[in-house]
Amino acid sequence: YSAIKENGKEYTCTAEIDENSLRTKLDIISSKYTQEAKDATYKINMDAPEGKKVEFVDGQSGVTIDTEKMYDTIVELFAKGEGGALEVATQVVEPTVTKEQLEAKYTLRASAVTSYNDASHGYATRVHNIEKATKLVSGTVLTPGQVFSMNDTIGDRTYANGWKEGGALVNGSTETQAGGGVCQVASTLYNAVVKADIEIVYRRNHSEQLSYVGGGLDATINTGTIDFKFKNNTNSDLLIIGYNINKHVYFEVYGEPFGEEYDHITLTSKMLGVVSPSGETEYKVVKGKPASYTETKVR
């Protein structure tokens, strides 16, 4: 010890990089500065005019940290015995979906509107059912070949599922049931889909003409029995947007543009004649009713 104290002693030190520790520190730096790229998307703009409620939003570029480049730089400087400030190596990542791509993919093919402002159709429980069903359908995206089911989309109409009582047309007469009024939503959507030239898979009309659409332009549905279905027969996704304004239900169908053959479709309705039942009239005695009471049922 005294000799070392008097004459000193020379030691040889070897410095090495702890790879795991260095990479862990670089990962921490990366997590602080990395920003994911955001694809362009769409939103419903209720301030826009009817028929153009979809607004496309620009995507945002992202930033990633090139930790491998930083690691190699540190190793190189260390080997040279050099130090100093280290520049963070970044890479800009562009969105994979742009606003322009969405605008080309989702053009307005068709729209339809019906009113439930009439006194006989605008009471609060029916309004609730119509607006609930509209919201459940809105935002639906169908890929090419995919089939839309109204019943599957809005679910069983039961009081337990949040539906309220409303008038429903059954066999030519009106009865109160959970979800009464949703047929108006189905009918409005049916009109928009037909005008958009989309393939109808299954649709039934009501047993009599309705007030909110022309004859033959309606679509009835019933939990577990009658459905309204259509198929995306185009080469692009279909976007269905629905909304309610001033007791009117609107639907807009977005997808690839029409071909060169036409740019829009118009629906018309005209009564051609009346078809009477082929069977004989059936009479039944209804107890508790006056002798003058009559009831007609259409099947």
Side-chain angles (χ1 to χ4, degrees), residues 222-242:
N222 188 53
T223 298
T225 58
I226 305 173
D227 203 354
F228 167 48
K229 296 182 178 182
F230 57 88
K231 178 181 180 181
N232 181 358
N233 57 330
T234 73
N235 298 312
S236 177
D237 290 353
L238 286 180
L239 171 62
I240 310 296
I241 297 298

mmCIF file of all heavy atoms in Angstrom, residues 222-242:
data_model
loop_
_atom_site.group_PDB
_atom_site.id
_atom_site.type_symbol
_atom_site.label_atom_id
_atom_site.label_comp_id
_atom_site.label_asym_id
_atom_site.label_seq_id
_atom_site.Cartn_x
_atom_site.Cartn_y
_atom_site.Cartn_z
ATOM 1 N N ASN A 222 -91.615 -7.217 -38.135
ATOM 2 C CA ASN A 222 -92.208 -7.698 -36.891
ATOM 3 C C ASN A 222 -91.190 -8.609 -36.209
ATOM 4 O O ASN A 222 -90.533 -9.425 -36.866
ATOM 5 C CB ASN A 222 -93.503 -8.473 -37.156
ATOM 6 C CG ASN A 222 -94.232 -8.806 -35.862
ATOM 7 O OD1 ASN A 222 -94.495 -7.931 -35.047
ATOM 8 N ND2 ASN A 222 -94.551 -10.079 -35.678
ATOM 9 N N THR A 223 -91.063 -8.446 -34.922
ATOM 10 C CA THR A 223 -90.079 -9.231 -34.180
ATOM 11 C C THR A 223 -90.285 -10.727 -34.394
ATOM 12 O O THR A 223 -91.357 -11.259 -34.132
ATOM 13 C CB THR A 223 -90.167 -8.916 -32.673
ATOM 14 O OG1 THR A 223 -89.860 -7.534 -32.470
ATOM 15 C CG2 THR A 223 -89.189 -9.763 -31.883
ATOM 16 N N GLY A 224 -89.255 -11.383 -34.894
ATOM 17 C CA GLY A 224 -89.266 -12.836 -35.025
ATOM 18 C C GLY A 224 -89.981 -13.398 -36.232
ATOM 19 O O GLY A 224 -89.900 -14.609 -36.476
ATOM 20 N N THR A 225 -90.696 -12.559 -37.016
ATOM 21 C CA THR A 225 -91.449 -13.112 -38.147
ATOM 22 C C THR A 225 -91.163 -12.401 -39.464
ATOM 23 O O THR A 225 -90.788 -13.042 -40.437
ATOM 24 C CB THR A 225 -92.965 -13.053 -37.866
ATOM 25 O OG1 THR A 225 -93.354 -11.698 -37.613
ATOM 26 C CG2 THR A 225 -93.325 -13.912 -36.662
ATOM 27 N N ILE A 226 -91.318 -11.103 -39.504
ATOM 28 C CA ILE A 226 -91.180 -10.353 -40.757
ATOM 29 C C ILE A 226 -89.967 -9.436 -40.651
ATOM 30 O O ILE A 226 -89.831 -8.662 -39.708
ATOM 31 C CB ILE A 226 -92.433 -9.511 -41.060
ATOM 32 C CG1 ILE A 226 -93.679 -10.385 -41.056
ATOM 33 C CG2 ILE A 226 -92.285 -8.815 -42.412
ATOM 34 C CD1 ILE A 226 -94.977 -9.599 -41.180
ATOM 35 N N ASP A 227 -89.095 -9.508 -41.650
ATOM 36 C CA ASP A 227 -87.861 -8.721 -41.637
ATOM 37 C C ASP A 227 -87.761 -7.889 -42.917
ATOM 38 O O ASP A 227 -88.488 -8.136 -43.893
ATOM 39 C CB ASP A 227 -86.649 -9.646 -41.528
ATOM 40 C CG ASP A 227 -85.411 -8.963 -40.959
ATOM 41 O OD1 ASP A 227 -85.452 -7.733 -40.754
ATOM 42 O OD2 ASP A 227 -84.405 -9.656 -40.730
ATOM 43 N N PHE A 228 -86.907 -6.917 -42.896
ATOM 44 C CA PHE A 228 -86.541 -6.163 -44.088
ATOM 45 C C PHE A 228 -85.044 -6.332 -44.281
ATOM 46 O O PHE A 228 -84.255 -6.006 -43.403
ATOM 47 C CB PHE A 228 -86.908 -4.684 -43.937
ATOM 48 C CG PHE A 228 -86.287 -3.786 -44.992
ATOM 49 C CD1 PHE A 228 -86.357 -4.126 -46.338
ATOM 50 C CD2 PHE A 228 -85.631 -2.617 -44.634
ATOM 51 C CE1 PHE A 228 -85.774 -3.322 -47.295
ATOM 52 C CE2 PHE A 228 -85.060 -1.802 -45.590
ATOM 53 C CZ PHE A 228 -85.126 -2.152 -46.924
ATOM 54 N N LYS A 229 -84.654 -6.892 -45.443
ATOM 55 C CA LYS A 229 -83.253 -7.182 -45.692
ATOM 56 C C LYS A 229 -82.833 -6.648 -47.065
ATOM 57 O O LYS A 229 -83.611 -6.694 -48.015
ATOM 58 C CB LYS A 229 -82.991 -8.700 -45.653
ATOM 59 C CG LYS A 229 -83.231 -9.358 -44.306
ATOM 60 C CD LYS A 229 -82.899 -10.848 -44.375
ATOM 61 C CE LYS A 229 -83.072 -11.534 -43.025
ATOM 62 N NZ LYS A 229 -82.706 -12.967 -43.087
ATOM 63 N N PHE A 230 -81.598 -6.165 -47.127
ATOM 64 C CA PHE A 230 -81.027 -5.794 -48.420
ATOM 65 C C PHE A 230 -79.550 -6.143 -48.427
ATOM 66 O O PHE A 230 -78.930 -6.319 -47.370
ATOM 67 C CB PHE A 230 -81.253 -4.312 -48.741
ATOM 68 C CG PHE A 230 -80.711 -3.350 -47.730
ATOM 69 C CD1 PHE A 230 -79.402 -2.881 -47.800
ATOM 70 C CD2 PHE A 230 -81.515 -2.876 -46.702
ATOM 71 C CE1 PHE A 230 -78.905 -1.988 -46.880
ATOM 72 C CE2 PHE A 230 -81.028 -1.967 -45.764
ATOM 73 C CZ PHE A 230 -79.723 -1.521 -45.852
ATOM 74 N N LYS A 231 -78.998 -6.275 -49.626
ATOM 75 C CA LYS A 231 -77.628 -6.756 -49.806
ATOM 76 C C LYS A 231 -76.789 -5.705 -50.519
ATOM 77 O O LYS A 231 -77.235 -5.091 -51.487
ATOM 78 C CB LYS A 231 -77.642 -8.052 -50.618
ATOM 79 C CG LYS A 231 -76.272 -8.646 -50.916
ATOM 80 C CD LYS A 231 -76.421 -9.915 -51.744
ATOM 81 C CE LYS A 231 -75.080 -10.535 -52.074
ATOM 82 N NZ LYS A 231 -75.230 -11.769 -52.898
ATOM 83 N N ASN A 232 -75.580 -5.507 -50.045
ATOM 84 C CA ASN A 232 -74.650 -4.592 -50.717
ATOM 85 C C ASN A 232 -74.168 -5.256 -51.998
ATOM 86 O O ASN A 232 -73.274 -6.096 -51.987
ATOM 87 C CB ASN A 232 -73.470 -4.259 -49.803
ATOM 88 C CG ASN A 232 -72.487 -3.285 -50.462
ATOM 89 O OD1 ASN A 232 -72.669 -2.879 -51.607
ATOM 90 N ND2 ASN A 232 -71.459 -2.923 -49.728
ATOM 91 N N ASN A 233 -74.777 -4.881 -53.108
ATOM 92 C CA ASN A 233 -74.432 -5.455 -54.406
ATOM 93 C C ASN A 233 -73.459 -4.568 -55.181
ATOM 94 O O ASN A 233 -73.343 -4.670 -56.397
ATOM 95 C CB ASN A 233 -75.698 -5.682 -55.238
ATOM 96 C CG ASN A 233 -76.491 -4.406 -55.432
ATOM 97 O OD1 ASN A 233 -76.466 -3.515 -54.582
ATOM 98 N ND2 ASN A 233 -77.198 -4.300 -56.547
ATOM 99 N N THR A 234 -72.746 -3.673 -54.479
ATOM 100 C CA THR A 234 -71.770 -2.803 -55.122
ATOM 101 C C THR A 234 -70.361 -3.309 -54.852
ATOM 102 O O THR A 234 -70.163 -4.302 -54.146
ATOM 103 C CB THR A 234 -71.896 -1.352 -54.608
ATOM 104 O OG1 THR A 234 -71.380 -1.274 -53.265
ATOM 105 C CG2 THR A 234 -73.358 -0.902 -54.608
ATOM 106 N N ASN A 235 -69.388 -2.606 -55.391
ATOM 107 C CA ASN A 235 -67.991 -2.995 -55.222
ATOM 108 C C ASN A 235 -67.301 -2.258 -54.081
ATOM 109 O O ASN A 235 -66.099 -2.396 -53.882
ATOM 110 C CB ASN A 235 -67.221 -2.744 -56.527
ATOM 111 C CG ASN A 235 -67.749 -3.572 -57.671
ATOM 112 O OD1 ASN A 235 -67.958 -4.774 -57.549
ATOM 113 N ND2 ASN A 235 -67.989 -2.927 -58.805
ATOM 114 N N SER A 236 -68.067 -1.461 -53.340
ATOM 115 C CA SER A 236 -67.502 -0.667 -52.264
ATOM 116 C C SER A 236 -68.370 -0.804 -51.015
ATOM 117 O O SER A 236 -69.499 -1.288 -51.088
ATOM 118 C CB SER A 236 -67.399 0.805 -52.683
ATOM 119 O OG SER A 236 -66.911 1.613 -51.635
ATOM 120 N N ASP A 237 -67.841 -0.367 -49.886
ATOM 121 C CA ASP A 237 -68.645 -0.354 -48.666
ATOM 122 C C ASP A 237 -69.836 0.582 -48.832
ATOM 123 O O ASP A 237 -69.777 1.566 -49.567
ATOM 124 C CB ASP A 237 -67.805 0.115 -47.474
ATOM 125 C CG ASP A 237 -66.755 -0.891 -47.053
ATOM 126 O OD1 ASP A 237 -66.753 -2.013 -47.600
ATOM 127 O OD2 ASP A 237 -65.943 -0.554 -46.178
ATOM 128 N N LEU A 238 -70.915 0.268 -48.111
ATOM 129 C CA LEU A 238 -72.070 1.159 -48.028
ATOM 130 C C LEU A 238 -72.142 1.727 -46.615
ATOM 131 O O LEU A 238 -71.984 1.003 -45.634
ATOM 132 C CB LEU A 238 -73.372 0.414 -48.333
ATOM 133 C CG LEU A 238 -73.665 0.032 -49.773
ATOM 134 C CD1 LEU A 238 -74.998 -0.708 -49.855
ATOM 135 C CD2 LEU A 238 -73.696 1.245 -50.689
ATOM 136 N N LEU A 239 -72.396 3.011 -46.525
ATOM 137 C CA LEU A 239 -72.540 3.687 -45.236
ATOM 138 C C LEU A 239 -73.968 4.206 -45.133
ATOM 139 O O LEU A 239 -74.434 4.943 -46.010
ATOM 140 C CB LEU A 239 -71.543 4.838 -45.132
ATOM 141 C CG LEU A 239 -71.687 5.784 -43.938
ATOM 142 C CD1 LEU A 239 -71.479 5.028 -42.624
ATOM 143 C CD2 LEU A 239 -70.698 6.943 -44.045
ATOM 144 N N ILE A 240 -74.678 3.793 -44.078
ATOM 145 C CA ILE A 240 -76.068 4.209 -43.863
ATOM 146 C C ILE A 240 -76.099 5.232 -42.724
ATOM 147 O O ILE A 240 -75.664 4.940 -41.617
ATOM 148 C CB ILE A 240 -76.968 3.008 -43.500
ATOM 149 C CG1 ILE A 240 -76.767 1.852 -44.491
ATOM 150 C CG2 ILE A 240 -78.421 3.451 -43.432
ATOM 151 C CD1 ILE A 240 -77.173 2.163 -45.899
ATOM 152 N N ILE A 241 -76.631 6.406 -43.006
ATOM 153 C CA ILE A 241 -76.747 7.464 -42.005
ATOM 154 C C ILE A 241 -78.220 7.801 -41.814
ATOM 155 O O ILE A 241 -78.943 8.042 -42.786
ATOM 156 C CB ILE A 241 -75.986 8.734 -42.433
ATOM 157 C CG1 ILE A 241 -74.488 8.442 -42.559
ATOM 158 C CG2 ILE A 241 -76.219 9.875 -41.436
ATOM 159 C CD1 ILE A 241 -73.832 8.003 -41.280
ATOM 160 N N GLY A 242 -78.685 7.794 -40.562
ATOM 161 C CA GLY A 242 -80.062 8.157 -40.253
ATOM 162 C C GLY A 242 -80.105 9.221 -39.175
ATOM 163 O O GLY A 242 -79.235 9.274 -38.308
#
